[in-house]
Amino acid sequence: MRATWRGLPARRYEAGWEPGLVVPAADGSPLVTDHYFPRADGDFPTLLVRSPYGRGVPWAPMYGLLFAEQGFHVVLQSCRGTGGSGGAFHLWRHESADARATVSWLRGRPWFNGSLGTIGPSYLGYVQWALALDPPPELKAMVVQVGLHDPRALLHGDGALHLETALVVALGMTHQHRGVVPFVKATLRLQRHLRGVTRARPLRGAHATALGGEVPWLDEALSHPDPEDAYWRGASLAPAAERLDVPTSLITGWHDVLADQTIAQYGRLRRAGCDTALLVGPWTHTSALQQGWPEVFSESLAWLRAHLCGDPSGLRPTRVRLHVGGDDTWRDLDDWPPADTGTPWYPAPGGHLTRQPPTDGAPLADFRYDPADPTPSLGGQLLSRTAGARDNAPLEAREDVLTFTSAPLTEPVDVLGPVTARLAVSVDTGHADVFSRLCDVDERGRSTNVCDGLSPVQAAPGVSAHVTVPMSSTAHRFAAGHRIRWQISAGAHPRYARNPGTGRSPLDATEFTPVRITLHADSALFCGDSALFPDRG
């Protein structure tokens, strides 16, 4: 594993392995646990890593071996109902109690010195927030990498069903802990059936074909889109960050499906006065742990050494470090977001994007969206291998996609912070979604997505309504000679489930109605205006 990446710090110790330990969960179910440790005399802190994805590749080498070699005990545990552990898995209901039960078990280990840290990505971040709801006194540091704290927002954020993400999450939760070969077979099956499943009428229950059987928790989760529904009570662990005083390092990528949740975590921790740091790279959810692993590992190790070992020598001097797209550089900031520096851009006739605000709200352009031939998703914040920055030519050639493009820039334009669209639109049926995307167009005409977002439109048929579309955050430099492009459509399928155009839930719709969407001139794109950007996590 060490040979996979260049630039990892030198090994300090040989690592030992004690597999198959049994730790009682809160209800007494056996939680199968592996213990990695430095083969040396001495007093070493402990890292707790709890996973629903098994304890093999990549978790064993990346967290067990690499951190044991750096002088940590690593406790790698399969969550309840996964990886050989007893009981039944649930997406959120058991993690706080089971984490506390594991810490109680740790207190009885002769090698546990009372200094505890947590680390891990994605759902392995969720279980860290679960422990942080009522942190034990031993918890001295957390490292949350591309981490989750609100499963409802992951599946239903922005007022739409995140269809492809829901299927990929269910794939991982159902099959990854069973081993590499079963997981690869399950992944190939999902790829084969993805188009059929995501276009099924109705969507409800159609995933069983692609996932190899029913997934009861997924059926339940998809059936409750309302954030106020009692079903989700206790699912969001946002309150943990609002009162936490455990030093916490946060790591994400601009194209991570959980980037907005990470940035929201950072804001809450800062408001709580918690010692925190933020690293944002040019990564997707998965590439942060692949191409980005040398930076992610070094950042994580420095934080853990500082707060568990009393060695702050590896910490960077600023609280925030982020990658700036467009010129492929890194920038250090004292905080995030920076002071508002954005100036609105406005769509104009002829597909132009200007700094000049409109004089009226007259109709500017329109397009027809047909749910039977949905506008496809391309790149962006996804869990799949198609995530990230992509050439948008296939999208922009479609008749159901509007584009507004600036003149070539005479000097570079930096966008640092949240991006938001305010759209004035009318829909002939009264029901639609609007998808808004910021793109960088180079001298050759290649249009590359920077950030985006989607919001539903519900208004009286044909009546103009103002819709705010949060488009995530970015740090991007538009070079001189490049052009800024605003792309507007009515969806991104299968990233988001199709809006049927009838007002019916996409989960149950069997009838689809094409819609005509009219964009009015009193629309605007705000780049880097943090005061306009709502907390999305």
Side-chain angles (χ1 to χ4, degrees), residues 269-505:
L269 291 170
R270 290 286 291 125
R271 291 190 291 273
C274 185
D275 183 7
T276 185
L278 176 66
L279 175 70
V280 188
W283 309 310
T284 67
H285 192 71
T286 54
S287 70
L289 306 180
Q290 297 167 353
Q291 296 93 325
W293 183 243
E295 289 91 347
V296 171
F297 181 78
S298 297
E299 176 90 1
S300 304
L301 182 61
W303 190 260
L304 295 169
R305 281 183 176 159
H307 297 287
L308 298 180
C309 307
D311 176 13
S313 60
L315 291 179
R316 48 185 161 81
T318 61
R319 188 175 284 114
V320 176
R321 187 163 199 257
L322 46 86
H323 182 270
V324 180
D327 65 353
D328 195 25
T329 60
W330 291 85
R331 190 173 302 187
D332 293 318
L333 301 175
D334 291 331
D335 210 351
W336 180 267
D340 295 342
T341 57
T343 301
W345 292 83
Y346 302 97
H352 298 293
L353 189 66
T354 74
R355 298 284 200 182
Q356 186 67 36
T359 57
D360 58 37
L364 186 62
D366 65 359
F367 63 96
R368 181 179 183 270
Y369 172 75
D370 185 355
D373 180 24
T375 315
S377 55
L378 178 65
Q381 294 178 343
L382 297 168
L383 282 176
S384 69
R385 56 188 179 157
T386 59
R390 303 284 172 174
D391 180 359
N392 277 236
L395 280 182
E396 294 170 356
R398 291 177 59 102
E399 293 184 353
D400 57 2
V401 177
L402 299 179
T403 60
F404 298 90
T405 309
S406 74
L409 300 171
T410 58
E411 59 183 16
V413 171
D414 287 347
V415 176
L416 271 77
V419 178
T420 305
R422 284 186 177 172
L423 294 164
V425 295
S426 54
V427 182
D428 60 355
T429 69
H431 302 284
D433 294 330
V434 285
F435 180 74
S436 177
R437 169 168 276 182
L438 175 65
C439 293
D440 184 341
V441 183
D442 66 18
E443 297 93 339
R444 297 168 297 172
R446 179 185 172 96
S447 177
T448 304
N449 53 292
V450 175
C451 60
D452 53 48
L454 178 141
S455 287
V457 181
Q458 292 186 343
V463 176
S464 177
H466 283 85
V467 181
T468 298
V469 185
M471 296 167 58
S472 196
S473 296
T474 191
H476 189 87
R477 167 162 286 193
F478 292 84
H482 285 214
R483 292 174 290 159
I484 296 174
R485 177 166 290 168
W486 186 8
Q487 184 190 114
I488 300 169
S489 62
H493 185 265
R495 176 176 173 182
Y496 301 99
R498 296 176 287 180
N499 189 313
T502 62
R504 188 143 193 226
S505 163

Side-chain angles (χ1 to χ4, degrees), residues 78-303:
S78 287
C79 294
R80 191 188 302 194
T82 71
S85 290
F89 175 77
H90 190 278
L91 192 58
W92 70 85
R93 290 191 174 135
H94 308 312
E95 303 306 349
S96 292
D98 287 355
R100 290 195 297 271
T102 301
V103 174
S104 295
W105 175 84
L106 279 173
R107 292 180 182 126
R109 302 311 99 194
W111 40 263
F112 182 61
N113 70 353
S115 185
L116 177 67
T118 60
I119 187 172
S122 197
Y123 193 86
L124 284 70
Y126 186 79
V127 297
Q128 295 183 65
W129 291 116
L131 182 60
L133 278 174
D134 183 17
E138 296 89 348
L139 184 60
K140 302 295 195 303
M142 294 168 51
V143 178
V144 183
Q145 304 159 331
V146 293
L148 171 74
H149 72 255
D150 186 350
R152 193 214 68 87
L154 176 65
L155 302 177
H156 294 286
D158 308 318
L161 170 58
H162 294 202
L163 180 57
E164 184 176 5
T165 292
L167 293 172
V168 176
V169 168
L171 171 75
M173 294 294 189
T174 305
H175 296 284
Q176 192 168 352
H177 65 92
R178 295 172 178 167
V180 173
V181 173
F183 181 59
V184 170
K185 289 182 177 179
T187 301
L188 294 175
R189 180 174 57 237
L190 176 60
Q191 291 173 0
R192 288 196 306 270
H193 292 284
L194 184 64
R195 179 180 173 86
V197 167
T198 57
R199 289 175 176 258
R201 303 188 191 186
L203 281 173
R204 187 184 298 276
H207 61 261
T209 302
L211 297 175
E214 297 292 336
V215 183
W217 68 259
L218 181 63
D219 283 319
E220 292 182 352
L222 296 188
S223 300
H224 295 85
D226 185 353
E228 303 304 320
D229 194 305
Y231 173 80
W232 295 106
R233 191 169 297 134
S236 173
L237 301 180
E242 294 170 353
R243 55 179 180 267
L244 192 65
D245 62 1
V246 176
T248 302
S249 171
L250 301 172
I251 300 170
T252 187
W254 293 122
H255 296 287
D256 174 22
V257 71
L258 292 168
D260 292 326
Q261 294 205 24
T262 298
I263 291 170
Q265 292 161 7
Y266 175 81
R268 291 190 179 97
L269 291 170
R270 290 286 291 125
R271 291 190 291 273
C274 185
D275 183 7
T276 185
L278 176 66
L279 175 70
V280 188
W283 309 310
T284 67
H285 192 71
T286 54
S287 70
L289 306 180
Q290 297 167 353
Q291 296 93 325
W293 183 243
E295 289 91 347
V296 171
F297 181 78
S298 297
E299 176 90 1
S300 304
L301 182 61
W303 190 260

